[in-house]
Amino acid sequence: MFKTRLSEAQASVQTALDARVAQYPAGQLRDAMHYALQGGKRLRAFLVLEGAAIFDIPAEQAMPAACAVEALHAYSLVHDDMPCMDNDDLRRGMPTVHVQWDEATAALAGDALQTMAFELLTDAALGEAPARLALVADLARASGAEGMVYGQALDIAAETAATPLTLEQITKLQEGKTGALIGFAARAGAVIADQDPAPLAAYAEALGLAFQIADDILDVEGNEDLTGKRLHKDAEAGKATFVSLLGLEGAKARAGELCEQAIAALEPYGERADILRDLARFTIARKH
Amino acid sequence: MFKTRLSEAQASVQTALDARVAQYPAGQLRDAMHYALQGGKRLRAFLVLEGAAIFDIPAEQAMPAACAVEALHAYSLVHDDMPCMDNDDLRRGMPTVHVQWDEATAALAGDALQTMAFELLTDAALGEAPARLALVADLARASGAEGMVYGQALDIAAETAATPLTLEQITKLQEGKTGALIGFAARAGAVIADQDPAPLAAYAEALGLAFQIADDILDVEGNEDLTGKRLHKDAEAGKATFVSLLGLEGAKARAGELCEQAIAALEPYGERADILRDLARFTIARKH
């Protein structure tokens, strides 16, 4: 059930993203945007669609928000992979955008993917203007100078800091860098339905941290063919991670606790949230 | 009258931008955003405020849109100045962001300034949700893969093209690179007031092109102390400009014609648009 729904969501989100990009003027910029939007687990889009399903919002209605969070995520990866940031040459098993083209194209494609994310949230399919505007405001808060980009800036600063980060500091960093956008994705259905997003926000807070701990574990234990990205970079760079701070077994135990917390937060929704419970379990068990 | 209103707008826009940035978490990212938002002619913000005044929209109401267009413009300058793009070390008389800090900070500050622009358009001061949402959609169209960033991509591609651009190609490029955002700024008041933006759109189309021709003339005839940026770069790079294609006198004549076209487009608004007429004249006469 879970795997089938995730596969279906991956396919429908890819179709919708490709259709939107195809409407832009042809050229290298559009090619690079299209390229950066291929593949990926689509967990953020899936969160949007399944969060929306709890409130009986059909996938067609929530789809522009699902695509928006993936476009936003793709922009952050394209810029984060650039030589002046993480300098990664491999992403989702393919050369990164600045390797495939050049740095200017990566900068511009990332810029335009961010714009595309906000544009998608103005799509009439999502519902009335106040709901769409609330999504725009929520995505801006989650992804800007107090959300994702703030976390990325803390991450860059940590690389040149004299001492490794503490557990408290790395938790704050990751709440911005990965947690904020996962929070947007989880809340989006409630925002569209004009319902209280608090249970989904609590779910996302635990899920986001579990997701990042799982990423840190994969960086140590993972397989580059399965993850499609360079691994062991954190240890080589001497960066503090949840694994370096808690140990491998400690990190796995903490991810398990957070998974249980995430599942518990969904209690108000009963069995309507079963897929989101499965998603929490998948997050910490995934191999990629 | 015109100079006084422009000075007043510059001061009030700076105050509003500084106040918004001060709400973000402290740190280098916020410092770089604040830095990138200092100075500038604020012609785009002024266009928003004066376009709004035609429809009796007070400056306080239009201010978030005026700030949004300046934040969007600032992001484009920060990224455009980076080594992988235009590689400029001077902007508004100060070191560019990547020179003052580093490239990662410039990438992130630009990213967060774009987000800030969209966030500002969700400000309740601007009016009802449909108007704010229309502004978000209009800014996304003007600044993304079919607007400003598209123009920037054409500009980058032109640098490595075998033959210089034709007048038609450079006009299309500039319609995206500078024209689209000027169009957003000019239309914003009509969008907020839910009135027909066509006259202001026609004004902006002529103004945007006149503005770019004036920039090309300044690149040849200007003073680096007054403009606060490096000049003569286009000729050194062998890039086609309106001056290289039309000659200096031809470019001046064309800018004058466009100025008259812009002024003529404002006819429906009578003397309520006198400041915008002055702005068109100022655009082609400016020394910075």
Side-chain angles (χ1 to χ4, degrees):
Chain A
M1 180 65 175
F2 170 77
K3 288 263 166 103
T4 308
R5 282 183 78 108
L6 180 57
S7 302
E8 284 170 3
Q10 286 166 343
S12 59
V13 167
Q14 191 65 58
T15 301
L17 285 168
D18 289 348
R20 179 64 196 95
V21 170
Q23 291 170 29
Y24 292 126
Q28 188 166 303
L29 174 66
R30 185 178 80 176
D31 292 345
M33 293 171 73
H34 178 262
Y35 181 87
L37 287 167
Q38 301 307 301
K41 296 179 290 293
R42 306 295 184 208
L43 293 184
R44 291 163 187 79
F46 190 62
L47 259 178
V48 171
L49 298 175
E50 293 297 336
I54 289 178
F55 304 100
D56 287 324
I57 294 166
E60 309 82 72
Q61 184 180 346
M63 187 57 75
C67 289
V69 74
E70 292 295 335
L72 202 298
H73 180 53
Y75 120 66
S76 78
L77 297 180
V78 171
H79 281 184
D80 210 37
D81 287 339
M82 286 177 70
C84 67
M85 304 272 287
D86 276 1
N87 195 20
D88 270 305
D89 55 0
L90 196 66
R91 170 70 66 183
R92 297 171 176 172
M94 304 280 282
T96 46
V97 173
H98 67 273
V99 171
Q100 185 74 7
W101 284 277
D102 50 52
E103 289 182 52
T105 302
L108 292 173
D111 288 344
L113 284 166
Q114 178 176 185
T115 321
M116 175 177 159
F118 286 103
E119 186 181 41
L120 280 161
L121 295 180
T122 66
D123 193 314
L126 285 165
E128 297 299 316
R132 287 183 270 157
L133 194 68
L135 289 171
V136 170
D138 204 17
L139 184 62
R141 260 193 308 273
S143 69
E146 58 201 308
M148 183 187 77
V149 176
Y150 178 60
Q152 287 176 308
L154 292 177
D155 199 21
I156 297 281
E159 282 172 18
T160 54
T163 52
L165 296 187
T166 64
L167 190 60
E168 192 184 345
Q169 288 171 320
I170 206 163
T171 302
K172 182 180 164 198
L173 183 165
Q174 295 299 350
E175 278 171 0
K177 192 174 177 188
T178 58
L181 199 55
I182 288 174
F184 166 83
R187 290 187 302 267
V191 172
I192 295 170
D194 197 19
Q195 298 290 317
D196 178 19
L200 285 165
Y203 165 78
E205 199 175 330
L207 181 76
L209 212 47
F211 183 89
Q212 187 56 47
I213 296 174
D215 246 20
D216 287 353
I217 294 169
L218 275 176
D219 193 61
V220 175
E221 291 196 324
N223 177 314
E224 289 197 356
D225 289 339
L226 285 177
T227 58
K229 61 183 176 184
R230 297 265 175 257
L231 300 177
H232 318 299
K233 287 194 59 170
D234 293 339
E236 285 165 19
K239 277 172 77 168
T241 69
F242 288 105
V243 172
S244 75
L245 288 163
L246 299 170
L248 192 54
E249 291 313 308
K252 287 180 180 176
R254 183 80 187 110
E257 285 165 20
L258 286 162
C259 177
E260 291 309 311
Q261 272 182 38
I263 288 168
L266 297 170
E267 202 276 324
Y269 305 124
E271 63 186 26
R272 300 173 72 84
D274 276 351
I275 298 285
L276 290 181
R277 290 185 185 89
D278 288 343
L279 176 59
R281 294 183 194 104
F282 171 82
T283 292
I284 63 163
R286 70 198 158 92
K287 301 278 175 240
H288 60 94
Chain B
M1 179 65 174
F2 170 77
K3 289 262 166 105
T4 309
R5 281 182 80 105
L6 180 58
S7 303
E8 285 170 2
Q10 285 165 345
S12 59
V13 167
Q14 191 64 58
T15 301
L17 285 168
D18 290 347
R20 179 64 196 96
V21 170
Q23 291 170 28
Y24 292 126
Q28 188 167 303
L29 175 66
R30 186 178 80 175
D31 293 344
M33 292 171 74
H34 178 263
Y35 181 88
L37 287 167
Q38 301 307 302
K41 295 179 291 292
R42 306 296 184 209
L43 293 184
R44 292 162 187 79
F46 191 62
L47 258 179
V48 171
L49 298 175
E50 293 298 334
I54 288 178
F55 304 100
D56 287 324
I57 294 166
E60 309 83 72
Q61 185 180 347
M63 188 57 73
C67 289
V69 74
E70 292 294 336
L72 203 298
H73 179 53
Y75 120 66
S76 78
L77 296 181
V78 171
H79 281 185
D80 211 36
D81 286 339
M82 286 177 69
C84 66
M85 304 272 288
D86 276 1
N87 194 20
D88 271 305
D89 55 359
L90 196 65
R91 170 71 66 183
R92 296 171 175 171
M94 305 278 284
T96 46
V97 173
H98 68 272
V99 171
Q100 185 74 7
W101 284 277
D102 50 52
E103 288 182 51
T105 302
L108 292 173
D111 287 345
L113 284 166
Q114 178 176 186
T115 321
M116 176 178 158
F118 286 104
E119 185 181 41
L120 281 161
L121 295 181
T122 68
D123 193 314
L126 285 165
E128 298 298 314
R132 287 182 270 157
L133 194 68
L135 288 171
V136 171
D138 204 17
L139 184 62
R141 260 192 310 273
S143 69
E146 59 201 308
M148 183 186 77
V149 176
Y150 179 60
Q152 288 176 310
L154 292 177
D155 200 20
I156 297 281
E159 283 172 16
T160 53
T163 51
L165 297 187
T166 64
L167 189 60
E168 191 183 345
Q169 287 171 320
I170 206 162
T171 301
K172 181 180 165 197
L173 183 164
Q174 295 299 350
E175 277 171 359
K177 192 174 177 187
T178 58
L181 199 55
I182 288 174
F184 167 82
R187 290 187 303 266
V191 172
I192 296 170
D194 197 21
Q195 298 290 317
D196 178 18
L200 285 165
Y203 165 78
E205 199 175 330
L207 181 75
L209 212 47
F211 183 89
Q212 187 56 48
I213 295 174
D215 246 20
D216 286 354
I217 293 169
L218 275 176
D219 193 61
V220 175
E221 290 196 326
N223 176 314
E224 289 198 354
D225 290 338
L226 285 177
T227 58
K229 61 183 177 184
R230 296 264 176 257
L231 299 178
H232 317 300
K233 288 195 59 172
D234 293 339
E236 284 164 19
K239 278 172 78 168
T241 69
F242 288 105
V243 172
S244 75
L245 288 163
L246 299 170
L248 193 53
E249 291 313 309
K252 286 179 181 178
R254 182 80 186 110
E257 284 166 23
L258 287 163
C259 178
E260 290 309 311
Q261 270 182 39
I263 288 169
L266 297 171
E267 202 275 325
Y269 305 124
E271 64 186 27
R272 300 173 71 85
D274 276 351
I275 298 285
L276 290 181
R277 291 184 184 91
D278 288 342
L279 176 59
R281 293 181 194 107
F282 171 81
T283 292
I284 62 163
R286 72 197 156 91
K287 301 279 176 239
H288 60 95

